[in-house]
Amino acid sequence: MTSDNTSLQVCTTPSDLSALTDQLRADGRSIALVPTMGALHDGHMQLVRAAKKLPNATVIVSIFINPLQFGPTEDLDSYPRTLSADLDLLAAEGVDVAFAPTPNDMYPHGYRSTINPGPLATELEGATRPGHFAGALTVCAKLFGISRANHAFFGEKDYQQFVLLKQMVEDLNLPITLHPVPIRREESGLALSSRNRYLSAEEHALAQQLSASLRAGVAAAEGGATPREVVDATRTHLAQYPQIDVDYIEIRDAGLQPLGDYADATVAARLLLAARVGTTRLIDNMGLMLQPWDY
Ligand code: AMP
């Protein structure tokens, strides 16, 4: 199926996509995959633009709201579904192929074999979302297999997901290269997210404080703060907005391992948070460099 007026090809079944990509690979193309859950915004488009820079690559964007990565009390039913607008955006961006399967196409045997993502999946996001990363990694492993992709692009918005995916690709020797893409933000600093659609105007204004608090932490690090002081600076900023319900604020190394009590050289680190604004749970993170410290 090809959507109106464009060269965007839409596949809905795994077998159709595999047949297409087998042919593309036989023709010497490489395959660049951008997995999404739809409700596309300019953050997703950043991934597309990065994928399109690869030489000789056919870009495939998957749109699939993966039930396996949602907990029983999460927003699976209300998650925004905007397929026709999504396809228009992809066509306008010059994407070659969209893959939009149904849950039954993806899980014809139910949730039988799944990925065990290892210990990091129980921390940070995993502490409040048990099973989330098992679900996210399982669907990505399936998408890698179905698409036979050589490359896949993921946003640093979901930094922990990217670290876990890198671990999976390394641990399972999957023949694919993963590319991280920086977070796309509104001018206010708010990270673009499909879930921002849930926010009222008032909540939207409040949500900008999440990135502002991370910037306060980064500024503290630039001034030579220790990891604890960076977290304190972030928390102190958010404490001015008691309507924001903070889930966690943590600083880890770039691989999301805990930082020790001292360091005798600069350390690349990641400052991460999750918080509820109204009923909407939002995440954000920033990279930073820490000066040597000793507690
Ligand atoms: P989602 O549709 O929310 O599952 O996201 C699909 C992909 O887009 C994931 O790799 C996300 O990390 C990435 N993404 C979502 N929002 C942004 C953003 N604001 N900037 C960069 N990447 C993003």
Side-chain angles (χ1 to χ4, degrees):
M1 175 164 77
T2 301
S3 68
D4 293 341
N5 305 326
T6 75
S7 58
L8 177 70
Q9 194 169 346
V10 183
C11 286
T12 54
T13 67
S15 54
D16 280 357
L17 186 68
S18 298
L20 176 65
T21 55
D22 278 350
Q23 187 58 54
L24 288 163
R25 287 178 63 137
D27 292 344
R29 307 282 301 170
S30 72
I31 308 294
L33 175 70
V34 178
T36 81
M37 297 203 300
L40 299 180
H41 51 66
D42 209 53
H44 298 113
M45 292 308 147
Q46 287 294 99
L47 309 192
V48 168
R49 288 170 201 135
K52 281 176 67 86
K53 286 196 188 127
L54 283 178
N56 194 33
T58 295
V59 176
I60 300 173
V61 175
S62 62
I63 297 176
F64 179 61
I65 302 174
N66 175 33
L68 190 55
Q69 72 190 67
F70 286 78
T73 62
E74 293 183 355
D75 56 347
L76 173 62
D77 291 338
S78 57
Y79 198 85
R81 287 160 168 84
T82 60
L83 183 60
S84 136
D86 290 348
L87 296 179
D88 288 346
L89 277 176
L90 296 181
E93 202 68 42
V95 168
D96 304 294
V97 181
F99 177 50
T102 65
N104 194 51
D105 288 328
M106 288 295 278
Y107 298 106
H109 307 292
Y111 307 125
R112 199 165 55 183
S113 308
T114 57
I115 297 286
N116 176 348
L120 176 59
T122 62
E123 301 170 24
L124 298 163
E125 280 301 282
T128 47
R129 306 189 69 190
H132 169 66
F133 289 116
L137 265 56
T138 298
V139 81
C140 286
K142 287 173 66 66
L143 291 168
F144 296 168
I146 293 165
S147 67
R148 284 81 151 126
N150 313 84
H151 300 271
F153 291 77
F154 294 91
E156 289 184 344
K157 166 84 183 351
D158 298 278
Y159 190 82
Q160 188 178 8
Q161 171 177 274
F162 185 75
V163 171
L164 287 164
L165 283 162
K166 288 281 278 186
Q167 291 180 3
M168 176 179 80
V169 164
E170 184 182 348
D171 295 342
L172 303 184
N173 305 88
L174 302 181
I176 188 165
T177 303
L178 304 189
H179 303 259
V181 177
I183 300 176
R184 182 89 169 146
R185 298 178 181 280
E186 292 180 358
E187 220 164 297
S188 70
L190 177 64
L192 297 186
S193 165
S194 304
R195 289 188 168 98
N196 291 352
R197 296 171 192 234
Y198 299 148
L199 301 170
S200 68
E202 206 176 311
E203 290 167 346
H204 190 273
L206 203 53
Q208 299 166 14
Q209 298 306 328
L210 299 181
S211 58
S213 76
L214 292 174
R215 283 200 304 277
V218 171
E222 284 165 359
T226 65
R228 280 177 206 158
E229 288 165 343
V230 169
V231 171
D232 286 347
T234 310
R235 197 175 296 285
T236 301
H237 181 98
L238 279 183
Q240 301 170 85
Y241 306 94
Q243 313 94 304
I244 297 179
D245 179 13
V246 177
D247 182 354
Y248 62 82
I249 301 170
E250 285 207 38
I251 190 164
R252 298 273 181 113
D253 74 13
L256 293 184
Q257 294 308 303
L259 296 164
D261 282 344
Y262 68 92
D264 52 16
T266 55
V267 173
R270 207 86 195 176
L271 179 62
L272 309 99
L273 62 74
R276 268 179 205 283
V277 178
T279 55
T280 305
R281 189 169 180 283
L282 298 172
I283 57 172
D284 199 353
N285 69 85
M286 285 184 191
L288 49 85
M289 291 303 292
L290 290 165
Q291 301 304 313
W293 73 91
D294 192 353
Y295 286 125

